[in-house]
Amino acid sequence: MDGATAERQCRPMAAVLHPALPDDMRALRPLPGVQPVVGPWLRVDDAYGAQMAERVRLLDTQADDVIWQAPEAQAAAEELLEMLLLDLPQFGFEVSTSGIACPDGRRVSRSDLPALEVLGRVLQCDLCLLEKVGDEHVLAGAVLCFPASWRLSDKVGRPLEAIHAPVAVYDTALATRVQRLFDGVQAGRPLWRFNQLWYEDPDLFQPRSETEPRPLGDRPSPYLRAERQTILRLPMTRWCVFAIHTYVVRASDLPDEITWSPDQAEALHG
């Protein structure tokens, strides 16, 4: 058992549940299942306050497990923050030169923290920053408070195909298609997909090492965990952003028409 998993098991679970999945995240599409974003890519929902409380706790107490950035990612992190500052007011945030007032009543300083940590303390979604190096995009920075059975320390500095090596269905053909998506995504025209993953517990912080793969759940499992995964292109640095908005729903609250296949659910991490 790795240290992060042991830590998770010895503390109370952070159960933050959504009452339902969004309508557009109920029926899986063929892999890789990517489609254009319609409307804002950023989401702030009813679980914002509770999820942010867990994010802040993790950033305060386990920063080494949930945030990492290579020096070369600083410009991309700052660009993403500046871009989002223009969008935040429409989601109930108040932005000033000194800080950001969040919908849950917290205020996050813009002057005392690195850009990536500001984003991690303001946004409900996790964020991965990827730089094109050679023929592949490489993970060069991330704030990852809600990992779905992977561990940030195992993935930093690695290209997409190596990141997804433990995923059985992530073969060469799928890896090529995913790399083409990252190559082709245009600034101002983000793409998104989602997965569905069955879990025995609802904890948002679910790190797991590559040598400790998660047993695949099935429909009798009590919780469905789904991730809305968005790919963005930053217009200035040209880096890609992979944003992950996590939903956890009780199986008993799901409609019968929810579809699931283990191959599709596990693809693109999980």
Side-chain angles (χ1 to χ4, degrees), residues 124-179:
Q124 194 174 351
C125 59
D126 286 319
L127 298 165
C128 299
L129 303 176
L130 297 110
E131 179 189 19
K132 184 72 179 290
V133 178
D135 295 330
E136 288 194 85
H137 280 79
V138 173
L139 180 62
V143 53
L144 182 76
C145 294
F146 303 155
S149 296
W150 59 292
R151 195 167 59 180
L152 183 58
S153 60
D154 291 338
K155 310 297 185 180
V156 297
R158 300 176 69 181
L160 284 172
E161 188 167 5
I163 287 172
H164 293 100
V167 181
V169 298
Y170 201 87
D171 57 16
T172 300
L174 182 56
T176 299
R177 292 166 66 189
V178 172
Q179 182 57 55

Side-chain angles (χ1 to χ4, degrees), residues 203-230:
D203 199 355
L204 289 164
F205 182 61
Q206 297 256 7
R208 194 168 269 105
S209 74
E210 292 184 356
T211 59
E212 184 195 8
R214 181 180 73 87
L216 292 182
D218 208 338
R219 183 62 191 252
S221 297
Y223 301 98
L224 180 72
R225 180 177 179 132
E227 297 176 328
R228 182 183 179 90
Q229 303 169 346
T230 307

